[in-house]
Amino acid sequence: MMVMPSLSLSRFLPVPATRRLAGAVLTLAANLLFARLFNRASPRGPLFVTWSLTYDCNAFCGFCATHKLHKEHPGTLDLERALAIADEIADCGSWVTGFTGGEVLLSPLLFPLVRRLKARGVLTYLVTNGLLLAERAQEIVASGVDYVVVSLDSDDADQHDAMRHSPGLMAKALNGIEVLKSLRKNGRPLIKASAIVGAHNLFRFERVVDFLARHADTVSAQPIVWGYKDHPHAIEQERVGGLFFPPDRRDDVERQFQSLAKRHPMFRSSYFRRMPLYWFKPESLIDTIPCWSPFLRLTIGPDGGVTQCSNRFGPVGDLTKEGLMSIWNGLEMRRQREVVRRRQNKCICWSQDTAFNDLMERLKLPNLLPVWWKFKG
């Protein structure tokens, strides 16, 4: 999840932002032209980088597979190589790097990497469940990270804690937010509360949004998802259990989203309008939501393995053996790009497709680019 619909661009960009935004536009244009239009080597790297520093976690969320992934991928990069990768990210023109996990605050690499990237002018964010937020708040502020995403799924502490199998989690997360607010200067880092939407909270979700908005600077959401490969949401659909809606609830779900859209501007974007289709008829989105993942983003795993997709495709490289730009323009990356360019992937990925397409729909500049119009639908 990179830039969610509820987060306005003006609030996302710290001041001064002109140079960063100009660089982002250049990276976007270069990759649309070289990678998307011609499938040639691009002079710029990924616009977005997601870096999973660890799959270790101190919570046990019912919808998450990080503990399984931690057993399968226990290795981590050493600090020297990680810092070199951070320099490569900055050198190649990336705009945003997000740090996630597992619980990212468990990783000793986090703050050295944030500081290195901030010194190089790269926007950064981190995603946390909030358990360690209060005790690490001073380091978070000192690192200069641009915003902190705190996962909060309900306005009811018992429901939230039960879903994440961690008693007291919500209380600790909310306390951590307040501590962070007391320490930050000039409203930085921004604090975003991000909720998983599912059967457990959809019919009270307006209350959830209002509750979270009282604590965080901005609020976002993503639907309950499943089945991704080598990803925290790799859990099987049948194990999602009561978080997913049975088929006979489709009409109720669609009416609820319509009701939410009438009462709250946040729910009027295509991002939220498409959630019922994603849950009940995902195949209907394949031809209407183009995939941009192999042209704009990379995901780095704890051990340096790299993917551009956690749904349909496998790894594209290993940062312990080669450089980031070598992977970005490598044979496997270009093979995967060609499949997507020809619309042969026939899949739909919520976080990597729907959120980005919604963002681009709301920004004026990309829609002025002929290459964007040629391939957007």
Side-chain angles (χ1 to χ4, degrees):
M1 174 174 68
M2 289 304 302
V3 182
M4 304 298 285
S6 60
L7 187 60
S8 70
L9 193 66
S10 61
R11 296 208 72 195
F12 178 69
L13 291 171
V15 178
T18 305
R19 184 177 299 176
R20 291 191 184 102
L21 185 55
V25 171
L26 181 60
T27 297
L28 173 63
N31 283 308
L32 290 179
L33 177 62
F34 289 94
R36 184 65 172 90
L37 184 59
F38 297 113
N39 196 9
R40 303 286 177 82
S42 174
R44 309 280 287 193
L47 186 67
F48 305 118
V49 175
T50 300
W51 198 335
S52 297
L53 293 181
T54 178
Y55 288 133
D56 193 11
C57 193
N58 48 10
F60 297 87
C61 305
F63 54 83
C64 189
T66 52
H67 291 284
K68 177 183 176 182
L69 290 174
H70 186 52
K71 293 178 181 178
E72 296 173 354
H73 303 277
T76 59
L77 294 163
D78 63 67
L79 179 59
E80 182 180 5
R81 179 59 187 135
L83 289 172
I85 293 170
D87 286 332
E88 292 178 50
I89 291 171
D91 290 339
C92 76
S94 293
W95 183 34
V96 180
T97 297
F99 293 100
T100 183
E103 174 47 52
V104 74
L105 290 175
L106 293 173
S107 173
L109 297 176
L110 175 62
F111 295 119
L113 289 175
V114 170
R115 289 192 294 269
R116 179 63 65 91
L117 287 167
K118 291 305 303 172
R120 299 293 309 277
V122 179
L123 289 168
T124 60
Y125 70 89
L126 65 89
V127 183
T128 176
N129 61 34
L131 270 173
L132 299 175
L133 195 54
E135 66 181 79
R136 308 301 295 275
Q138 188 72 56
E139 292 171 279
I140 291 171
V141 173
S143 73
V145 69
D146 293 292
Y147 74 98
V148 175
V149 183
V150 186
S151 299
L152 292 167
D153 302 316
S154 181
D155 58 331
D156 180 88
D158 291 338
Q159 182 186 66
H160 175 78
D161 295 352
M163 178 177 166
R164 293 177 177 266
H165 299 280
S166 184
L169 173 55
M170 176 176 274
K172 291 180 180 178
L174 293 177
N175 177 59
I177 288 174
E178 296 308 312
V179 173
L180 197 58
K181 286 179 180 178
S182 72
L183 294 173
R184 66 183 182 174
K185 296 177 176 62
N186 301 317
R188 304 292 175 185
L190 288 174
I191 301 169
K192 178 169 75 171
S194 181
I196 296 290
V197 186
H200 62 298
N201 63 3
L202 175 61
F203 293 93
R204 61 190 292 161
F205 203 64
E206 187 174 23
R207 283 185 291 167
V208 174
V209 170
D210 290 342
F211 172 79
L212 297 180
R214 292 198 294 270
H215 295 278
D217 301 312
T218 186
V219 178
S220 188
Q222 68 179 79
I224 185 71
V225 300
W226 59 89
Y228 289 25
K229 296 185 297 184
D230 288 329
H231 187 276
H233 292 291
I235 196 166
E236 301 86 355
Q237 182 177 352
E238 57 268 22
R239 292 184 59 202
V240 177
L243 301 181
F244 185 67
F245 297 94
D248 60 3
R249 295 297 305 278
R250 179 175 176 178
D251 289 344
D252 295 334
V253 169
E254 290 180 340
R255 280 193 294 268
Q256 176 64 7
F257 275 100
Q258 292 167 4
S259 176
L260 289 168
K262 290 178 181 178
R263 289 179 281 161
H264 204 297
M266 173 180 175
F267 299 99
R268 295 170 192 164
S269 69
S270 63
Y271 179 86
F272 284 98
R273 292 198 309 270
R274 287 164 171 158
M275 278 192 193
L277 285 174
Y278 176 73
W279 282 330
F280 293 100
K281 199 176 180 181
E283 66 277 6
S284 68
L285 298 175
I286 291 173
D287 293 326
T288 59
I289 301 180
C291 175
W292 295 96
S293 179
F295 316 105
L296 298 176
R297 64 182 298 139
L298 281 181
T299 297
I300 304 172
D303 55 5
V306 180
T307 61
Q308 60 84 14
C309 168
S310 53
N311 189 9
R312 160 80 163 71
F313 297 98
V316 294
D318 184 343
L319 283 167
T320 66
K321 299 176 181 178
E322 56 187 319
L324 188 142
M325 285 300 291
S326 176
I327 293 172
W328 183 243
N329 289 318
L331 291 177
E332 178 58 23
M333 192 70 177
R334 292 170 70 176
R335 184 194 72 79
Q336 294 184 15
R337 284 177 181 151
E338 190 62 23
V339 173
V340 175
R341 287 176 76 248
R342 295 177 179 273
R343 296 292 186 94
Q344 295 173 343
N345 48 309
K346 299 300 180 183
C347 55
I348 182 69
C349 168
W350 186 265
S351 62
Q352 293 182 349
D353 288 349
T354 313
F356 180 74
N357 277 276
D358 179 83
L359 173 66
M360 291 296 101
E361 288 170 11
R362 292 178 297 106
L363 296 180
K364 294 180 180 180
L365 183 59
N367 289 285
L368 298 177
L369 300 173
V371 68
W372 175 257
W373 283 105
K374 181 176 177 62
F375 292 106
K376 70 179 291 187

